[in-house]
């Protein structure tokens, strides 16, 4: 096959976060096909890299010397023809590179928020201000970090991901350098913390968009679970690093460390991260013709990427405007997810804020021991993220297989939704996609996550109230973090599938109230514990999550398809809601 020709008929590569079962599930990497023959493909064809991977268990890698046929004039394998065009043309190693880089970038912002906390008493002394004033710099960071993604993500969905990664991280690096060198002036500290948060805010929202660009819906929850490891580990590892740097060196080394780490990530993005926005590069075919180092590096490093031919690009999203923001936020699924995320994260943050008090005052732990006590919930969030993502994709795969079996029996057409995003949604030149499960199928798993999260919250309160062994308290924080993380993963996958053309902005809006909610809960938690007691305070919070968040998930599961179809109809008529 001539390498200069489009490669959309090739068998799609299997990324590291996908198993070979996607061939059976009718992965969204395919375009259209005969609805009567959408099960396992039984076509004799030359072995492709994907089929070779599938025959060797879960390994997505290709044995040395095994390649797709490249003989001039030879027709592509029958299986590839039948599967249709692929969702992404980026090879496996490039998909993994993209995932790794956006995960590292997403780690920096939450790390900056958490690494600062152990140094607050030292900063209070050095800057000669009250504890209330120095705590206000934490609130400033959280508010800007919550609002900033709305600015960055709207342009990321319109102008591209790559330039905004580079620009935002440059702002973040400069702010950290100035924080490390600034005289002890409180106004400068507050302003630079706001600038630091603004620069850091871009990566999390844009990272979700980048993952959606190169990951078909069938594999998206698993991919998102890897990506969210960065934002989730930041608040956990931050206090550990901050305590070591502030205690063993100087608080200025906190910001110097952040600047050095961010520069390394920025440099790697400059030379390794391709543009992924489908409105600019389609499914990435333009990168498949590169040779030599160009297959790995961006040569020469430039801020903006070249545009794919117009017929290969996806449709552009609407230009950023206040009307667009309101249109998305007033879209009920995004509004409901925004409130759910804020409530669950606020409850988690109540536990995080009050945990040092519980361990130090009730159990007599030292400051160092308290810092390591946060590792339990950190491990829970990692396990919940990875496990929840894989479980959600596994459930989706099973649903696809059931639908395929139903179609073969001529009785399951109504289980499909042909409006759900696939490769041709973002690339109009491709064939009409095969029907896909509706995004709302992701939400069924959330009920169990909400129940687990609420259970951990209630157990935490009563374990501390009755002074049960601290190991039990840490187990309760683990349960709470695990449930919350599993809910967030399916929420993220749902948002990117429900609003595929504005994945980054929908993710930003879905998380918009999370940090302000955490800031409010940090203020209220000590008072609530004092007035209500440990047990009843966290029982109330757990029941609140169970009733409000659980009820909202059921409502979204029932009405989501209707709302999404109504929105699509309005878009077709030119009246974006």
């Amino acid at each position: 096959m001539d390498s200069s020709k489009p490669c959309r008929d090739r068998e799609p590569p299997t990324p590291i976060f996908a198993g070979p079962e996607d061939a059976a599930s009718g992965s969204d990497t395919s375009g259209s096909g005969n609805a009567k023959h959408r099960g396992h493909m039984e076509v004799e064809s030359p072995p492709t890299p994907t089929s070779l991977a599938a025959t060797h268990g879960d390994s997505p890698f290709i044995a040395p010397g095994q390649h797709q046929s490249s003989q001039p004039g030879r027709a592509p394998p029958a299986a590839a023809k039948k599967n249709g065009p692929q969702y992404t043309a980026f090879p496996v190693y490039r998909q993994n590179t993209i995932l790794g880089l956006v995960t590292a970038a997403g780690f920096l912002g939450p790390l900056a928020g958490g690494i600062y906390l152990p140094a607050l008493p030292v900063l209070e002394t050095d800057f000669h201000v009250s504890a209330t004033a120095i705590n206000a710099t934490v609130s400033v960071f959280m508010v800007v970090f919550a609002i900033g993604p709305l600015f960055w993500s709207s342009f990321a969905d319109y102008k591209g991901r790559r330039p905004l990664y580079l620009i935002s991280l440059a702002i973040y690096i400069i702010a950290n350098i100035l924080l490390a060198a600034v005289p002890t002036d409180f106004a400068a500290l507050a302003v630079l913390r706001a600038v630091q948060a603004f620069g850091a805010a871009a990566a999390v929202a844009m990272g979700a968009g980048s993952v959606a660009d190169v990951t078909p819906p069938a594999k998206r929850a698993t991919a998102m679970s890897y990506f969210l490891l960065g934002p989730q580990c930041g608040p956990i590892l931050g206090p550990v690093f901050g305590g070591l740097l502030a205690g063993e060196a100087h608080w200025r080394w906190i910001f110097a460390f952040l600047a050095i780490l961010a520069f390394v990530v920025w440099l790697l993005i400059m030379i390794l991260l391709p543009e992924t926005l489908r409105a600019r590069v389609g499914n990435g075919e333009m990168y498949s013709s590169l040779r030599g180092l160009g297959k790995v590096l961006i040569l020469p490093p430039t801020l903006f990427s070249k545009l794919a031919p117009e017929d290969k690009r996806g449709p552009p999203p609407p230009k950023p405007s206040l009307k667009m923001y309101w249109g998305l936020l007033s879209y009920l699924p995004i509004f409901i997810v925004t409130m759910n995320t804020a409530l669950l994260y606020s409850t988690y943050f109540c536990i995080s804020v009050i945990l040092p008090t519980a361990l130090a005052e009730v159990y007599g732990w030292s400051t160092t021991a308290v810092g390591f006590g946060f590792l339990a919930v950190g491990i829970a969030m990692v396990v919940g993220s990875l496990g929840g993502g894989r479980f959600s994709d596994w459930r989706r795969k099973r649903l696809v297989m059931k639908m395929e079996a139903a179609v073969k029996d001529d009785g399951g057409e109504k289980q499909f939704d042909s409006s759900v995003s696939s490769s041709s949604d973002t690339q109009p030149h491709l064939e009409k996609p095969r029907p896909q499960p509706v995004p709302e199928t992701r939400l069924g798993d959330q009920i169990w996550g909400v129940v687990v999260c609420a259970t951990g919250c209630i157990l935490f309160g009563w374990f501390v109230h009755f002074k049960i062994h601290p190991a039990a308290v840490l187990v309760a924080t683990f349960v709470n973090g695990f449930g919350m993380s599993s809910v967030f993963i399916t929420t993220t996958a749902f948002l990117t599938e429900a609003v595929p053309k504005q994945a980054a902005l929908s993710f930003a809006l879905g998380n918009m109230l999370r940090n302000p909610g955490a800031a409010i809960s940090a203020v209220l938690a000590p008072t609530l514990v004092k007035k209500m007691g440990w047990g009843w305070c966290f029982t109330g919070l757990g029941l609140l999550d169970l009733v409000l968040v659980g009820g909202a998930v059921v409502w979204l599961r029932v009405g989501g398809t209707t709302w999404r179809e109504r929105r699509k109809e309005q878009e077709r008529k030119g009246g974006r809601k």
Side-chain angles (χ1 to χ4, degrees), residues 394-410:
W394 174 76
R395 292 255 296 174
R396 188 184 189 278
K397 174 202 139 186
R398 288 187 48 143
L399 178 60
V400 169
M401 294 175 70
K402 288 180 181 179
M403 292 193 298
E404 288 174 344
V407 167
K408 288 181 179 180
D409 295 334
D410 294 328

Side-chain angles (χ1 to χ4, degrees), residues 155-396:
F155 287 99
D157 280 333
Y158 183 64
K159 291 293 186 181
R161 321 286 192 202
R162 176 179 164 83
L164 295 191
Y165 277 118
L166 295 171
I167 293 170
S168 64
L169 284 180
I171 293 172
Y172 178 81
I173 293 167
I174 292 170
N176 278 302
I177 292 173
L178 293 177
L179 282 166
V182 71
T184 51
D185 180 81
F186 179 73
L189 176 67
V191 170
L192 288 174
R193 279 287 283 175
V195 176
Q196 181 194 43
F198 181 70
V204 176
M206 289 196 301
S210 298
V211 174
D213 290 337
V214 300
T215 312
K219 310 167 187 173
R220 196 164 292 165
T222 301
M224 286 295 179
S225 70
Y226 283 106
F227 161 66
L228 289 178
L229 287 179
Q232 288 172 345
C233 289
I236 305 305
L237 298 179
V240 177
F241 294 155
L244 291 173
L245 291 169
E248 301 298 328
H250 192 276
W251 62 264
R252 293 185 184 275
W253 271 104
I254 290 176
F255 302 111
F257 169 75
L258 291 174
I260 294 169
L261 183 62
F263 178 74
V264 172
V265 175
W266 182 90
L267 191 61
L268 291 173
I269 287 175
M270 171 65 79
I271 62 176
L272 293 175
L273 185 69
E275 180 58 70
T276 62
L277 181 65
R278 302 179 77 86
R280 291 183 64 86
V281 300
N283 70 350
E285 282 185 11
M286 58 183 288
Y287 291 102
S288 64
S289 62
L290 300 176
R291 293 292 178 265
L293 289 177
K295 296 178 71 68
V296 179
L297 304 178
I298 306 298
L299 297 175
T302 56
L303 191 63
F304 291 93
S305 70
K306 295 180 180 179
L307 290 173
E310 188 171 355
D311 64 332
K312 301 293 182 67
R313 300 178 214 159
K319 292 184 178 181
S321 66
L322 291 177
K323 182 179 179 181
M324 180 191 69
Y325 287 136
W326 175 248
L328 273 179
L329 188 58
S330 60
Y331 178 40
L332 269 176
I334 290 182
F335 177 76
I336 292 172
V337 165
T338 300
M339 298 305 298
N340 284 358
T341 301
L343 285 171
L344 286 180
Y345 193 75
S346 297
T347 299
Y348 155 77
F349 210 75
C350 274
I351 294 177
S352 295
V353 166
I354 212 71
L355 180 62
T357 302
L359 295 178
E361 296 184 2
V362 178
Y363 296 101
W365 282 27
S366 67
T367 302
T368 303
V370 168
F372 283 100
F374 280 91
L375 292 178
V377 68
I379 294 171
M381 293 173 71
V382 171
V383 174
S385 178
L386 296 177
R390 287 187 176 276
F391 180 73
S392 181
D393 280 348
W394 174 76
R395 292 255 296 174
R396 188 184 189 278

Side-chain angles (χ1 to χ4, degrees), residues 7 20 38-39 49-50 59 75 88 92 102 116 128 141 279 292 323 353 359 377 438 442 485 535:
C7 62
R38 282 174 175 156
T50 306
S59 174
T88 179
V92 175
V102 300
Y116 182 76
H128 307 291
F141 182 94
K323 182 179 179 181
V353 166
L359 295 178
V377 68
V438 296
R442 297 278 190 189
S485 183

